[in-house]
């Protein structure tokens, strides 16, 4: 997920040109990733970053990770989720929070095609759920190249967070996401008119209802409850077996961490859990130091964490 506030706070980040990769994540379905390599890509740690709901590789937190990672001597692969980054026309599918296998496919691709020897996963919000879910699914059986995972404001408890988004104080965020999701479905219906029924949007006034009528319906779930339960990283976070960092803000307007999920996190010795007083949703701001640090704290923290443990 990506808040209006963080979107409006965005500033342009200049990066060297990237190499485009279209990676097949399922039969006939490709995602667009942008790769920036160090001269010796095989020796460098590779960061694979995943954006949030209705974000893309152009989201400012993604570009911030790229800038910091490159400066630290790392390769950086920014991954668009399905449909995102100009890929709506590629396949008649929707992206959702259960598709950790797509991240695994991108990781496998760079290991097999680029000789990457070490990689770390980084995710923001929805992307944070995906990378933690994958790390938990891999547990101790992940690829030997997988060294670390970091998640900023991860939507691990999907049901609780979706319901929090519908609270009166958060309706502006929910309205923003719904506008974006409605537009997305209309775009998909233009490309694949036989596959999508826009009538399913009638009366949808909450993210939960959208997920019940659209996401679940088109992505193989029986309803929103089934989707939220099966897609939540909270189910497997206790199985994460590589060094992990989770950053959460106590004042995040809609991401909720249930007590039982918090307990699973704190009982896992591989996970470092940081909960700040301030930070909102993916908008952790510090003071720029005039020496390369731009004040975007979380984007720096996840890269420094990967450098320490990867």
């Amino acid at each position: 997920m990506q808040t209006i506030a963080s979107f409006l706070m965005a500033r342009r980040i200049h990066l060297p040109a990237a190499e485009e990769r279209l990676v097949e994540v399922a039969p006939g379905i490709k995602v667009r990733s942008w790769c920036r390599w160090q001269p010796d890509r095989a020796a460098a740690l590779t960061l694979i970053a995943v954006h949030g709901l209705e974000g893309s590789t152009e989201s400012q937190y993604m570009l911030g990770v790229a800038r910091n990672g490159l400066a630290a001597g790392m390769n950086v692969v920014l991954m668009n989720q399905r449909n995102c980054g100009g890929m709506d026309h590629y396949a008649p599918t929707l992206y959702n929070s259960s598709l950790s296998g797509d991240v695994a496919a991108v990781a496998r691709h760079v290991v097999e095609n680029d000789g990457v020897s070490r990689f770390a996963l980084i995710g923001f919000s929805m992307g944070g759920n995906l990378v933690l879910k994958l790390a938990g699914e891999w547990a101790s059986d992940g690829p030997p190249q997988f060294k670390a995972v970091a998640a900023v404001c991860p939507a691990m408890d999907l049901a609780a967070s979706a319901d929090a988004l519908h609270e009166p104080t958060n309706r502006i965020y929910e309205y923003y996401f719904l506008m974006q999701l409605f537009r997305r479905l209309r775009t998909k219906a233009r490309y694949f008119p036989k596959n999508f029924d826009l009538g399913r949007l009638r009366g949808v006034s909450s993210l939960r209802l959208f997920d019940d009528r659209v996401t679940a319906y088109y992505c193989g779930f029986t309803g929103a409850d089934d989707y939220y339960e099966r897609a939540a990283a909270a189910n497997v976070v206790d199985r994460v077996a590589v060094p992990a960092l989770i950053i959460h803000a106590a004042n995040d307007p809609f991401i909720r961490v249930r007590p039982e999920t918090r307990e699973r996190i704190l009982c896992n010795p591989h996970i470092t859990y940081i909960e700040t007083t301030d930070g909102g949703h993916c908008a952790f701001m510090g003071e720029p130091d005039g020496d390369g640090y731009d004040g975007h704290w979380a984007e720096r923290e996840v890269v420094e964490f990967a450098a320490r443990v990867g």
Side-chain angles (χ1 to χ4, degrees):
M1 298 179 182
Q2 182 183 33
T3 69
I4 299 170
S6 63
F7 176 80
L8 293 176
M9 286 166 54
R11 63 178 183 81
R12 187 164 184 78
I13 296 174
H14 296 285
L15 292 167
E19 176 186 344
E20 180 187 28
R21 291 289 178 86
L22 297 180
V23 180
E24 188 169 58
V25 295
I29 300 173
K30 295 181 179 180
V31 300
R32 173 176 282 147
S33 295
W34 295 99
C35 308
R36 293 176 173 88
W37 304 109
Q38 297 294 336
D40 185 357
R41 68 181 67 176
L45 176 67
T46 297
L47 304 180
I48 301 174
V50 189
H51 60 80
L53 181 65
E54 287 303 292
S56 75
T57 55
E58 292 299 308
S59 295
Q60 295 301 302
Y61 51 77
M62 295 281 280
L63 299 178
V65 167
R67 183 180 63 82
N68 293 333
L70 290 170
M74 303 173 184
N75 304 316
V76 180
V77 176
L78 302 184
M79 171 189 166
N80 282 295
Q81 295 191 52
R82 297 188 190 189
N83 302 324
C84 302
M87 296 293 283
D88 277 305
H89 62 290
Y90 258 74
T93 62
L94 300 177
Y95 72 111
N96 65 80
S97 291
S98 75
L99 296 174
S100 50
D102 288 6
V103 184
V106 172
R108 184 168 57 250
H109 174 88
V110 296
V111 168
E112 294 175 353
N113 289 273
D114 299 286
V116 164
S117 59
R118 297 172 296 141
F119 71 85
L121 301 176
I122 296 175
F124 291 80
S125 197
M126 178 182 178
N129 179 74
L130 286 170
V131 298
L132 289 174
K133 181 172 179 286
L134 178 58
E137 290 166 343
W138 274 344
S140 58
D141 296 321
Q145 299 86 358
F146 179 41
K147 300 302 181 183
V149 59
V152 178
C153 301
M156 298 177 290
D157 286 311
L158 292 167
S161 297
D163 291 340
L165 198 58
H166 195 59
E167 294 172 1
T169 54
N170 290 328
R171 286 290 286 162
I172 187 172
Y173 298 111
E174 184 172 49
Y175 180 66
Y176 169 77
F177 287 128
L178 287 176
M179 283 195 306
Q180 297 295 100
L181 290 167
F182 276 38
R183 183 169 61 184
R184 173 83 59 188
L185 190 66
R186 293 186 182 109
T187 299
K188 297 298 288 188
R190 285 200 303 271
Y191 285 123
F192 305 99
K194 295 181 180 180
N195 294 83
F196 296 100
D197 175 15
L198 294 180
R200 303 194 69 82
L201 294 175
R202 293 192 193 99
V204 170
S205 58
S206 69
L207 183 62
R208 174 179 277 274
L209 198 51
F210 180 90
D211 284 336
D212 192 66
R213 294 187 182 177
V214 178
T215 308
Y217 181 81
Y218 289 115
C219 298
F221 301 96
T222 59
D225 288 339
D226 181 44
Y227 167 49
Y228 293 151
E229 173 59 31
R230 290 165 56 189
N235 297 326
V236 295
V237 71
D238 56 326
R239 297 169 52 195
V240 173
V242 298
L245 173 66
I246 297 175
I247 297 174
H248 174 69
N251 71 338
D252 191 307
F254 49 82
I255 295 297
R256 300 290 182 264
V257 182
R258 296 181 303 164
E260 52 266 44
T261 300
R262 191 183 301 269
E263 181 67 19
R264 289 175 183 172
I265 291 169
L266 297 178
C267 287
N268 186 330
H270 299 287
I271 299 176
T272 299
Y273 181 71
I274 298 175
E275 182 171 300
T276 64
T277 302
D278 200 9
H281 186 65
C282 297
F284 298 86
M285 298 300 297
E287 287 293 330
D289 62 7
D291 191 30
Y293 174 48
D294 60 4
H296 290 257
W297 177 78
E299 289 90 323
R300 183 183 68 171
E301 191 68 18
V302 293
V303 171
E304 291 185 348
F305 173 78
R308 290 195 300 271
V309 303

